[in-house]
Amino acid sequence: MVKTYLYQLTVASCLFLAACNESKTTDGGLRVIPLGTAIDARTELNASDCFKQVQYVPLETTDSSLIGKGPYVQVIKDRILVSTSQDQCLMFDKETGKFIKQVGHIGNDPEGYRSVFCWGDNETGMIYFNGWNKDLVCYDQNGTFKEKIKIPFEVQGASSASFGCQNDGTFVLYKSVLFGKGENSLLFFKDNMAIDSCATRMAVESQSLDPSNIASIAVLKGETGAQFYGPTTYEGVLVLDYKEPETGSIIINANTRLWRQDKELYFVEAYNDTIYQVKDRALVPASVLDLGKYHWNFSERFMKNKDNAVLITQILDSEDRMVIRFIKGLFHEPVLYTAVVTKSTGEVKVGLYADGLNDDLTNYLPLQPMSVSQSGEYAGLIPAGDVAAWFEENGDKDIPQQVKALKRIGEEDNPVVVLMK
């Protein structure tokens, strides 16, 4: 049975509550985040707006662990995992940066997988990759192959952000309908068996993307996509132009959808400003991103004349902080922004993504969180060339010892991982 608790009247009334740059909570406990108001009051973002401590972990450079351009980093338990443009997933020790091993490989053999972009369970340390045959390829925290888990649903188009896991071991898959008719939904499965499903929209539009209406397709990956659309684009971006004037679609495959914050599972969907908590087999509203005049209606998602509208692309959630990435001017001159939400005070600040977070904690290079672990540890990367260039310009005065230690990094070395809490 399809079960979706969307509380339409509650959500609608909440959108009128945000009159300043502070989140408000309704009587029912639903947090309203005034993102639209904060966009109009753009400011410089500081590391101290979001974090209390910063740790730098230089990654060991060996012939087997060369990372190259356009990597994506995440932390799962006590491991750093780096997915590279050379189709490798490299594992490093979180404390020392020592290279441990390459985790699996792309291939259709028993231990192979489809994509090097993975997701994991911070409690067990298990790491999951999308397989080729409707399955998840599972490795443990030491990078050892464990098993393949059957997915009893069609998974075409699924990315690492399409999956999540509940406390009882139930897997959750987000399925969107790109071509043809149907409805977007969450699919629940466990022990290789389908359990339930849950519709994700209050009203599902029957009109979907018509392949015969596509005039051209472009695919962006790695640094090229991230330059315009942010960290979630490393798994690929489809840029579609339609035959009708001023219509098209930009599909960011790994837009934030499902994530764990501590022991709770959350869900958000493109063109829907509500963040839901996945409870049992249902969706319960947890927060509303009040975009105000920047809201983009789902029914207008193919219209290119929405330069003033905002598309949410990434949510990095922790106990008291939420980092939100979004794009304005998506089709013509895309500009990427970062918002920092402090849950305990309700404060919301917005700045340009390109500026990063000014490092007022260690007086070093701007910070750019790329991912966040289930336990709330954020991770980013600084290219070795940027590290070396900074010391050439600034020397090593008035900086902490852990930053001074980075002076030994050469231009050809692996990047430095930045851990933020």
Side-chain angles (χ1 to χ4, degrees):
M1 178 180 180
V2 177
K3 303 168 291 183
T4 311
Y5 302 111
L6 296 173
Y7 299 97
Q8 298 178 45
L9 294 177
T10 303
V11 171
S13 63
C14 290
L15 296 177
F16 294 97
L17 293 176
C20 61
N21 287 19
E22 291 187 359
S23 305
K24 291 180 170 61
T25 303
T26 68
D27 292 340
L30 190 62
R31 178 185 291 110
V32 180
I33 301 171
L35 198 53
T37 306
I39 293 171
D40 290 331
R42 202 177 75 201
T43 185
E44 180 183 69
L45 300 179
N46 292 317
S48 60
D49 293 330
C50 198
F51 309 114
K52 294 181 179 179
Q53 65 181 69
V54 177
Q55 177 186 354
Y56 296 96
V57 183
L59 298 181
E60 182 183 15
T61 306
T62 69
D63 290 342
S64 301
S65 67
L66 292 176
I67 289 175
K69 295 183 178 181
Y72 178 82
V73 65
Q74 61 181 312
V75 171
I76 299 177
K77 206 167 183 178
D78 58 355
R79 298 292 189 246
I80 292 171
L81 293 172
V82 180
S83 301
T84 77
S85 57
Q86 291 82 34
D87 288 335
Q88 294 176 304
C89 180
L90 304 177
M91 177 182 284
F92 298 83
D93 182 85
K94 191 181 78 170
E95 295 302 319
T96 65
K98 184 176 176 58
F99 177 60
I100 297 175
K101 67 184 303 185
Q102 177 178 329
V103 183
H105 56 273
I106 288 182
N108 201 9
D109 56 285
E111 298 184 9
Y113 44 71
R114 180 187 296 268
S115 169
V116 297
F117 295 94
C118 57
W119 60 281
D121 186 326
N122 210 66
E123 293 186 359
T124 64
M126 301 305 284
I127 305 163
Y128 303 97
F129 297 86
N130 291 350
W132 291 90
N133 303 303
K134 296 203 301 185
D135 51 23
L136 291 173
V137 183
C138 180
Y139 286 78
D140 66 18
Q141 63 181 333
N142 296 314
T144 302
F145 173 76
K146 299 300 291 183
E147 62 178 331
K148 284 190 174 182
I149 299 171
K150 179 183 176 183
I151 302 173
F153 305 105
E154 182 56 54
V155 294
Q156 184 176 3
S159 72
S160 62
S162 302
F163 292 90
C165 188
Q166 296 181 301
N167 293 326
D168 65 353
T170 298
F171 291 96
V172 185
L173 166 65
Y174 170 70
K175 182 179 180 181
S176 62
V177 178
L178 185 59
F179 301 105
K181 295 183 179 180
E183 60 183 11
N184 297 345
S185 57
L186 295 183
L187 307 175
F188 300 83
F189 62 101
K190 186 178 181 180
D191 298 328
N192 301 317
M193 300 291 292
I195 296 177
D196 209 341
S197 65
C198 171
T200 63
R201 293 195 181 278
M202 290 179 278
V204 179
E205 197 180 76
S206 59
Q207 179 188 6
S208 59
L209 194 157
D210 180 1
S212 66
N213 190 36
I214 298 175
S216 65
I217 300 177
V219 179
L220 302 177
K221 280 191 173 184
E223 286 187 326
T224 304
Q227 179 182 355
F228 295 102
Y229 306 116
T232 57
T233 61
Y234 282 103
E235 291 191 53
V237 181
L238 284 176
V239 181
L240 308 177
D241 282 317
Y242 300 158
K243 295 176 182 178
E244 287 86 354
E246 282 298 293
T247 61
S249 184
I250 293 179
I251 302 169
I252 302 175
N253 196 34
N255 265 13
T256 294
R257 294 175 181 134
L258 287 156
W259 72 91
R260 285 277 292 273
Q261 197 276 300
D262 196 16
K263 296 184 181 297
E264 303 300 334
L265 183 65
Y266 292 91
F267 170 77
V268 73
E269 192 169 30
Y271 306 100
N272 188 338
D273 301 340
T274 303
I275 297 173
Y276 299 94
Q277 185 175 349
V278 184
K279 284 197 171 184
D280 296 325
R281 310 294 178 253
L283 292 174
V284 178
S287 302
V288 174
L289 303 174
D290 181 6
L291 290 169
K293 64 184 178 183
Y294 301 105
H295 172 73
W296 197 336
N297 288 321
F298 176 72
S299 60
E300 298 176 323
R301 66 195 183 280
F302 300 140
M303 306 303 296
K304 288 187 176 182
N305 62 350
K306 303 296 290 182
D307 286 347
N308 200 49
V310 157
L311 176 67
I312 305 293
T313 62
Q314 186 178 38
I315 296 177
L316 304 176
D317 196 11
S318 58
E319 183 178 5
D320 190 43
R321 296 290 189 275
M322 184 181 288
V323 176
I324 303 171
R325 300 268 167 60
F326 59 90
I327 301 172
K328 189 168 172 281
L330 178 67
F331 286 103
H332 296 117
E333 294 183 5
V335 179
L336 188 61
Y337 295 87
T338 296
V340 174
V341 180
T342 305
K343 298 178 185 178
S344 57
T345 65
E347 185 178 33
V348 183
K349 292 184 177 182
V350 170
L352 286 172
Y353 169 82
D355 293 341
L357 306 182
N358 174 51
D359 185 6
D360 57 343
L361 296 176
T362 64
N363 299 316
Y364 193 44
L365 288 162
L367 305 179
Q368 203 64 277
M370 187 176 285
S371 64
V372 64
S373 72
Q374 181 180 322
S375 63
E377 190 168 26
Y378 292 76
L381 286 169
I382 301 178
D386 291 355
V387 173
W390 189 90
F391 280 103
E392 286 182 7
E393 294 177 8
N394 298 277
D396 57 4
K397 295 180 180 180
D398 301 322
I399 54 175
Q401 183 58 42
Q402 68 157 335
V403 176
K404 289 182 180 180
L406 302 179
K407 193 173 182 179
R408 62 181 175 82
I409 302 295
E411 292 184 1
E412 302 301 319
D413 285 339
N414 272 337
V416 174
V417 171
V418 188
L419 302 177
M420 298 154 274
K421 291 191 285 187

